[in-house]
Amino acid sequence: MPKIIGEKIAFDSKWHQVIELTLQDKAGNTSPYFMYRHPWSNSTGVAILCYRDVVSSFSSGDVYREILGRYEFLPAHGEEMKLGSITGGYDKPSESYLECAIRELEEEGGFTVTDTSKVIHLGTTRNSKSSDNTMHLFAVDVKDCATTVAMGDGTTGEEGSYVKWVSVEDAVWSDDVLLPTMIQRLNSL
C-alpha cells in the first residue's frame, strides 16, 4: 500500500484548497496525488432527507413516498437548475451535526423541526474519492412539522433555488450521490 510522504497546498482560498500529496510505493517510487478540502467548514457537512408518505387518491389507499428535492444552480454541472439534496457546511462549532441539519432544513427546505427525536441519523459518508469531506446524513418525516419560507443563505449561488416534492425514483436517479444514499439507508432501517 502506498504511503503519504509529503503534503503541500497547491491552491488556497477561504472556500477551497487543492492539496498536492506525494505518494510513495513499496519500491520507493513517488507520484503526486491531488485532493481538495473545504477549509470554511473544516471539510464537514450535513445532508438531510426530507420525506413524506402520501395516500394515493387514484387507488384504494395505496401509500407512496415523496422526497423534498432541492433545485439549485450548480455551475460545475451546467446552466440549468439541478435536483439535489438539502445540504450545508458545518461551520458553526457551537451546533451539533443534528442542529446544523435542522437549521439547513428550515433555511433551504422550509420546514421547522421541533421534535428532534423524529430525526433519524443515517451515519456518515464521503461524497468524493478526491476530497476529505465527510457528510453527516439525516432523515425526517415532515408530516407534523411546521412550514416556513425557505430563505436560503442569501448567496449568489442560491439565487433562484427552490424545493419541490419529487418521487423516490426521480430522487434516486438525480445526479446527486447523497439522495440515493440517504434513501437506501432509510429504507434499510
Side-chain angles (χ1 to χ4, degrees):
M1 183 166 81
K3 63 181 178 178
I4 300 169
I5 62 168
E7 176 179 321
K8 69 179 182 179
I9 298 173
F11 172 80
D12 192 16
S13 77
K14 174 183 176 183
W15 303 104
H16 299 281
Q17 289 179 332
V18 176
I19 310 298
E20 181 181 357
L21 301 174
T22 303
L23 304 181
Q24 184 178 52
D25 65 17
K26 289 181 199 176
N29 301 311
T30 61
S31 62
Y33 178 89
F34 291 90
M35 59 174 269
Y36 66 94
R37 287 188 179 137
H38 301 283
W40 70 277
S41 66
N42 216 15
S43 286
T44 307
V46 297
I48 187 161
L49 180 70
C50 181
Y51 67 93
R52 67 182 182 186
D53 292 329
V54 179
V55 177
S56 174
S57 58
F58 298 111
S59 62
S60 59
D62 288 343
V63 177
Y64 63 95
R65 180 160 285 171
E66 290 182 322
I67 304 298
L68 188 64
R70 172 104 169 135
Y71 287 83
E72 291 184 71
F73 173 60
L74 305 171
H77 301 178
E79 293 187 11
E80 64 277 350
M81 300 297 256
K82 294 286 187 173
L83 170 60
S85 50
I86 296 171
T87 61
Y90 182 68
D91 60 343
K92 294 178 176 62
S94 61
E95 288 182 320
S96 67
Y97 297 122
L98 173 62
E99 290 167 333
C100 182
I102 289 170
R103 178 177 50 79
E104 290 294 340
L105 176 57
E106 186 167 344
E107 197 175 274
E108 294 186 2
F111 284 92
T112 303
V113 175
T114 55
D115 184 356
T116 59
S117 70
K118 300 208 177 198
V119 180
I120 303 164
H121 186 250
L122 299 173
T124 61
T125 192
R126 305 251 183 179
N127 52 335
S128 171
K129 289 176 18 176
S130 60
S131 171
D132 65 352
N133 196 45
T134 300
M135 296 297 288
H136 295 262
L137 309 178
F138 298 89
V140 64
D141 181 346
V142 295
K143 70 178 175 190
D144 297 325
C145 294
T147 58
T148 186
V149 176
M151 300 297 289
D153 63 10
T155 60
T156 303
E158 288 196 1
E159 183 178 323
S161 297
Y162 61 94
V163 291
K164 177 178 141 184
W165 290 104
V166 299
S167 69
V168 169
E169 182 178 7
D170 286 344
V172 166
W173 286 99
S174 74
D175 290 339
D176 182 327
V177 299
L178 296 174
L179 279 173
T181 299
M182 291 187 290
I183 290 167
Q184 181 60 40
R185 289 185 183 186
L186 179 63
N187 288 341
S188 68
L189 294 178

